[in-house]
Amino acid sequence: ACIDLLGEHVLMHRAGQAVARLALARWPHARRVSVVCGPGNNGGDGLIAACLLKQAGLEVRVHLIAPPRPGTDAAWALAQTQAHELVPLATAPDPHADDDLIVDALYGAGLRGSLRDDARGWTRAMQLAGQQHGTPILAVDLPSGLQADSGQPDPSTPACDLTLALLCLR
């Protein structure tokens, strides 16, 4: 089944598609993927990637820290995951899970200020999965907790194996 692509959601669809394509190309043997999503556009990109990874035959778990605001592109993306029978979990990924890949779409370049304590628990879970179990992490835009303006990481920012910058200067 194709994702219902409406003109106003083209950019988010293309971003999610880029994330899914990169994940499949870089980790072709991955079978189990956790996609960790925030409530904004970064999370929406992750939600669309989750749909496409499921369509590609992978076992996908979606972790959603908070629902997106109604009427946003991210809310549309959440509806797409539900249409693809992906039920977002309101819990951080288990750092001891048997994931072959984690997609970090929690917070990207739009993060302003420090991570909240609840978000820090989620980034710490990804960090532990990478450090203790060698689970590769693909970041969307930036690793969550890294300040785009200063380059300063939160202590819980996961060390990502690869980052896909979706918006960049030429």
Side-chain angles (χ1 to χ4, degrees):
C2 290
I3 289 178
D4 179 26
L5 183 58
L6 303 175
E8 61 192 281
H9 305 294
V10 170
L11 289 178
M12 184 159 286
H13 182 268
R14 287 182 180 166
Q17 190 174 50
V19 173
R21 283 183 179 166
L22 181 58
L24 292 168
R26 178 66 175 83
W27 294 280
H29 302 294
R31 296 292 164 247
R32 289 171 303 281
V33 179
S34 278
V35 183
V36 183
C37 301
N41 286 341
N42 196 260
D45 297 343
L47 292 168
I48 296 301
C51 293
L52 296 170
L53 291 169
K54 183 179 180 192
Q55 284 181 347
L58 278 66
E59 178 186 323
V60 179
R61 286 183 288 256
V62 175
H63 302 268
L64 183 62
I65 195 168
R69 287 190 329 268
T72 62
D73 284 349
W76 168 80
L78 179 58
Q80 297 303 307
T81 62
Q82 294 163 341
H84 285 82
E85 299 178 358
L86 285 168
V87 179
L89 305 168
T91 58
D94 179 353
H96 306 291
D98 56 355
D99 290 323
D100 298 315
L101 174 65
I102 294 174
V103 176
D104 173 8
L106 189 58
Y107 296 107
L111 178 66
R112 299 289 178 257
S114 302
L115 288 172
R116 295 185 333 249
D117 287 342
D118 61 337
R120 194 168 281 124
W122 287 52
T123 55
R124 183 73 180 138
M126 289 188 281
Q127 186 183 63
L128 289 173
Q131 289 175 344
Q132 295 180 356
H133 302 285
T135 306
I137 302 171
L138 168 59
V140 179
D141 281 336
L142 292 172
S144 291
L146 182 66
Q147 296 294 321
D149 294 336
S150 68
Q152 288 298 113
D154 184 271
S156 67
T157 298
C160 296
D161 295 83
L162 196 58
T163 299
L164 175 60
L166 297 169
L167 296 175
C168 57
L169 299 175
R170 289 182 185 227

